Amino acid sequence: MNRVEALKQSVLDGKRIDGLLVFNAANQIYLTGVSGETARATLACVMISKKGENIIYVYNVNYEQAKAEGKGFRVELVKRREDLVAQISAKAKSLNMKNLVADFLSVETHRLLMKGLHGQARLEMQSNLLWEMRKVKSEKELEFMRKAGDLTSIGMKAAYETIRPGVKEIEVAAEIEYAMRKRGGWGTAFETSVASAARSAFPHGGCTARKIAKGDLVVVDIGAIYDHYCSDMTRTVVAGKPSDKQKKLHGIVKKAQFEAFKTMKPKVEAKKVDAAARNVVAEAGYGEYFVHGLGHGVGLEVHEPPTLNSESKDILAVGNVVTNEPGIYLIGFGGIRIEDSVLIQERGGENLTNGSYDLETAR
Amino acid sequence: MNRVEALKQSVLDGKRIDGLLVFNAANQIYLTGVSGETARATLACVMISKKGENIIYVYNVNYEQAKAEGKGFRVELVKRREDLVAQISAKAKSLNMKNLVADFLSVETHRLLMKGLHGQARLEMQSNLLWEMRKVKSEKELEFMRKAGDLTSIGMKAAYETIRPGVKEIEVAAEIEYAMRKRGGWGTAFETSVASAARSAFPHGGCTARKIAKGDLVVVDIGAIYDHYCSDMTRTVVAGKPSDKQKKLHGIVKKAQFEAFKTMKPKVEAKKVDAAARNVVAEAGYGEYFVHGLGHGVGLEVHEPPTLNSESKDILAVGNVVTNEPGIYLIGFGGIRIEDSVLIQERGGENLTNGSYDLETAR
């Protein structure tokens, strides 16, 4: 119950908040240890209360799993959504809770809940409820993230070995995912992207049945999951011999990534890391084609705080894991992105994804 | 623009609603054709208006992709989330929109939007905005769903060929996913589940590095995606020779699935289909161990309307695709579930997933 206790100390103790309602799927996994897909909540709600037991509310289909895995929680069976609201309201009343905080709610569930509470408790939204904790990874979490990074690096090696003129994008994806799974991966953190030629200029190009042609730029963006923790890595390769322009652009992006990497230290403003990469791209004359922020946090979710872009107010800290992914996207010509997942250590950044940056594949 | 026109006719024409704001990722793909992960919105918002252009609002990172793929839409660039609210509000004002409807909003985005509109327009929530349309699949959609079903059946064949004592659950998952990808799959519709022994009794057991042992029940629940459309299929096998009790339970579940299948026709109440399966399981004395509804709709999302359970108010119609998945889960002993994705046709159900129901694998 360490995480629950830490959360109670930081959010509940000494504050006028009496209880927390946790609906976000990743937050639920983080607090309860009950396994489930991060994208889909296995539990109906998790209630953390200042006085009284902490409760997992769960529908029948996942009831036995929650009982087996949710150590330290009372597990209450919920028959339907209306009952969830009634059960939470009754519990809030019996524990005399006056001020509740929820991490996420749709407008409709919020209305149901407000109706159920009929004025007996206030309900405040705090979407960042767990981010201060989740942003800083523990040693145990880093063990999983290192493994996810290793698996992703293995997937990327498979991409280098597979990409050649005549191979379909989805065939490359098949080899990448198979390599990651065979070595123990839990699945993909997001849709594997193997975007060639014109579609490489779309940062989220995905992959299709298109055959890769000689001279195509191919942006490979992949991530393995290990024990719920994600990784994120991109390389750009050319099937065959790269042109001078492809080489030049690749060199700019690589330099931008390296300059940003050098600035990644605790207490550094995230926007300064973004600027380090952006300046390299801008000075080379391609500033307007770097159409996204430099990076984002990675953990239980593949996109989470802190955020690295020109408007970020985040400051890096030891234990953050963030992506470092500059890119240049020229419509009609193609795109180039290089990305690694980086752990912030006392002495600086450490890449959790590793492998060749070569623009040329072996074949 | 057929879908947009159909939506306008059914929801806007002759009503006092002036415009729709579409935030749900699958709804956005359905209306605009702009590719993206279903789980993650590629577009910031889609506005469908009674008078005036239909607009895609999109952040810089996906701007060029939206322009290339969003035929028939005006594409407007959004710099930040605050700007999105400002741009929507300005547009609503310039088009004199008084009544807006949104399909999904978090409490926080809803507040921002209400503030931005400062009383100039009403904003109503209708989460079922597109369900009447999306529940009934067109011929084009069914082409993709048939393909997704075929790919899933290929994956299940790989499971039958791989499962034997000594193989790890995740190794089976690797072979399943590889087989689906190699034949053209776009990825998995949900986390592949290969749950053996005790964990087979959890309906969402997932898969682990556990080695499957002789005599284990193994529940394999998988789904391929093809062109954004999902499929969903489950088989339960025993590694080695099944016991009499395993055979008996498997027979009950198989009979329950078949009895439900026979009732799947247009105009039939979904709860009656659920009852057909549930009665078989209850009569055999295992009613309390069938801990979930019989099924759910499948399409762009793997869980969507119509819903097949004892409280459903849905009525089946031609073009619905729903799962038929009875199960019996005995804690300590293991679980058995059999599932197919079924298309409702005029004459009755048609399984889109196909293959052996054998409890025994080849090895």
Side-chain angles (χ1 to χ4, degrees), chain A residues 37 40 61-62 64-65 80 105 107-108 110 127 170 174-175 177-178 181 191 203-204 303 311 331, chain B residues 37 40 61-62 64-65 80 105 107-108 110 127 174-175 177-178 181 184 191 203-204 303 311 331:
Chain A
E37 284 193 77
R40 212 163 35 145
V61 61
N62 297 312
E64 293 293 343
Q65 188 167 353
R80 346 180 159 64
L105 278 172
V107 175
E108 286 163 321
H110 182 259
S127 60
I170 51 170
E175 298 303 330
E177 292 174 4
Y178 188 63
R181 268 291 199 190
E191 195 184 322
H204 297 136
H303 289 113
E311 300 190 347
I331 300 304
Chain B
E37 285 193 76
R40 213 164 35 144
V61 62
N62 296 315
E64 293 294 341
Q65 189 167 352
R80 340 175 164 68
L105 278 173
V107 175
E108 286 164 318
H110 183 258
S127 60
E175 298 303 330
E177 293 174 4
Y178 189 64
R181 267 292 200 191
E191 195 182 323
H204 297 135
H303 290 113
E311 301 191 345
I331 299 304

Side-chain angles (χ1 to χ4, degrees), chain A residues 270-304:
Chain A
K271 69 180 177 192
K272 286 200 176 154
V273 181
D274 178 272
R278 206 163 295 279
N279 288 343
V280 173
V281 178
E283 277 165 24
Y286 293 95
E288 67 180 296
Y289 304 104
F290 180 4
V291 296
H292 53 71
L294 179 68
H296 51 82
V298 189
L300 285 172
E301 293 172 77
V302 74
H303 289 113
E304 49 175 65

